């Protein structure tokens, strides 16, 4: 199990959360918006104070938190169902992986748009979100 912190107003990020929820058959993941009090508290509890809302953060049940491309790859690894086949990309130097990630992150609002408020989970997925 792990916690995924995401930009709650980003359409790309919200789409990624819906993608994960749909494929997470065993309910391994919990979610919180980086803008929420719970998200900020989780960052602080894990010693993370310098990450903004432009990065996805994955906090595994045990171990250190991951961000940016590493977070994405570890999430896919945990998701299974063939998605773990992307995990060997972890061997690409971080500066290259994160460079691509940051390029997408810088342009995500322009390409995918953003919401005025953080995503509200549906009644069926509400229990997966930390408030």
């Amino acid at each position: 199990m792990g916690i995924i912190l995401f930009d709650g107003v980003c359409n790309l990020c919200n789409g990624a959360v819906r993608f994960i929820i749909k494929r997470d058959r065993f309910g391994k993941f919990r979610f919180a918006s980086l803008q929420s009090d719970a998200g900020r508290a989780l960052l602080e509890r894990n010693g993370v104070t310098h990450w903004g809302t432009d990065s996805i953060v994955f906090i595994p049940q045990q171990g250190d938190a991951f961000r940016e491309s590493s977070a994405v790859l570890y999430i896919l690894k945990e998701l299974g169902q063939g998605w773990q086949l992307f995990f060997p990309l972890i061997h690409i130097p971080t500066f290259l992986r994160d460079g691509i990630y940051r390029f997408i992150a810088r342009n995500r609002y322009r390409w995918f748009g953003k919401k005025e408020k953080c995503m509200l989970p549906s009644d069926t997925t509400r229990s997966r979100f930390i408030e």
Side-chain angles (χ1 to χ4, degrees), residues 35-99:
Q35 292 91 341
S36 69
D37 292 337
R40 287 191 296 275
L42 284 163
L43 288 174
E44 283 183 32
R45 190 176 321 144
N46 286 277
V48 182
T49 57
H50 61 280
W51 296 346
T53 58
D54 60 343
S55 178
I56 191 168
V57 178
F58 176 56
I59 304 170
Q61 191 169 9
Q62 295 181 346
D64 295 330
F66 299 99
R67 70 180 188 136
E68 296 181 332
S69 65
S70 295
V72 171
L73 292 172
Y74 276 95
I75 290 166
L76 291 173
K77 179 182 177 188
E78 291 294 319
L79 198 56
Q81 303 177 49
W83 296 105
Q84 73 276 13
L85 295 175
F86 285 98
F87 191 72
L89 296 174
I90 200 81
H91 298 293
I92 294 173
T94 304
F95 78 92
L96 291 174
R97 287 187 285 113
D98 284 349

Side-chain angles (χ1 to χ4, degrees), residues 6-10 14 33-36 115-121:
F6 66 101
D7 179 353
V9 298
C10 169
N14 287 309
S33 164
L34 286 162
Q35 292 91 341
S36 69
K115 300 179 181 314
E116 292 296 317
K117 297 180 181 179
C118 289
M119 175 180 103
L120 294 175

Side-chain angles (χ1 to χ4, degrees), residues 86-131:
F86 285 98
F87 191 72
L89 296 174
I90 200 81
H91 298 293
I92 294 173
T94 304
F95 78 92
L96 291 174
R97 287 187 285 113
D98 284 349
I100 294 167
Y101 180 96
R102 290 176 189 144
F103 175 75
I104 295 168
R106 274 193 309 272
N107 292 289
R108 71 190 186 280
Y109 293 151
R110 185 178 10 193
W111 295 341
F112 301 98
K114 76 184 239 186
K115 300 179 181 314
E116 292 296 317
K117 297 180 181 179
C118 289
M119 175 180 103
L120 294 175
S122 68
D123 290 339
T124 57
T125 62
R126 188 172 312 279
S127 65
R128 309 273 309 272
F129 287 78
I130 302 167
E131 296 182 28

